[in-house]
Amino acid sequence: MSDLLILSVVLITLALIFYSIGVWAERMARYLKLWHVASFWTGLVFDFSGTYAMYQLSEGSFDLLELHTLTGQIAIWLMLAHAIWATWVARKGSVEARKKFHRYSLVVWLIWLVPYFGGMFMGMKG
């Protein structure tokens, strides 16, 4: 197993950990806090870094029509939109918006799991 492959797996796993902590802590609190937002951004950075490392490992060209690439792109762009929106809501949003934000967070997290587990299964298949 190459060092780059190990690095990419570690980075994507850290993305899962940080993003999940932020999403589920927010869900349990039912109120968006600044540290949740920091967790979202940290997860996004790890996800982007892990995705880039995996891209470096790939032998083919970037093909948006390939299912894993498409779902991964959708997920990472949703994570970015989620982090930006969470930042705005935490800084300037109403109390009501901070109380309801967890619904959007959970949807984005569930969508993000599709390419995460898809990539894991692809890796196990070889």
Side-chain angles (χ1 to χ4, degrees):
M1 192 181 286
S2 75
D3 290 343
L4 189 55
L5 179 59
I6 293 169
L7 176 64
S8 66
V9 170
V10 168
L11 290 170
I12 290 293
T13 301
L14 286 170
L16 173 69
I17 290 167
F18 277 93
Y19 208 64
S20 296
I21 287 171
V23 167
W24 286 102
E26 179 203 4
R27 174 105 175 138
M28 289 188 297
R30 302 261 193 230
Y31 188 81
L32 179 64
K33 300 176 183 176
L34 286 176
W35 78 265
H36 300 140
V37 176
S39 188
F40 300 154
W41 280 106
T42 304
L44 177 63
V45 168
F46 280 126
D47 189 44
F48 180 79
S49 301
T51 299
Y52 183 73
M54 288 184 194
Y55 170 72
Q56 296 298 312
L57 288 168
S58 68
E59 295 173 5
S61 61
F62 181 83
D63 181 7
L64 195 54
L65 298 178
E66 195 272 320
L67 184 61
H68 182 65
T69 303
L70 179 62
T71 59
Q73 285 294 305
I74 290 169
I76 207 163
W77 286 105
L78 275 174
M79 285 176 72
L80 176 61
H82 175 250
I84 291 169
W85 190 12
T87 301
W88 186 88
V89 169
R91 296 187 78 224
K92 297 182 180 175
S94 67
V95 171
E96 191 63 28
R98 291 177 79 159
K99 287 181 179 179
K100 291 183 177 181
F101 194 81
H102 65 91
R103 296 174 187 163
Y104 176 62
S105 297
L106 189 59
V107 169
V108 172
W109 180 78
L110 288 169
I111 292 169
W112 183 82
L113 289 177
V114 172
Y116 178 83
F117 285 115
M120 186 172 60
F121 291 131
M122 286 172 47
M124 289 189 301
K125 265 178 60 175

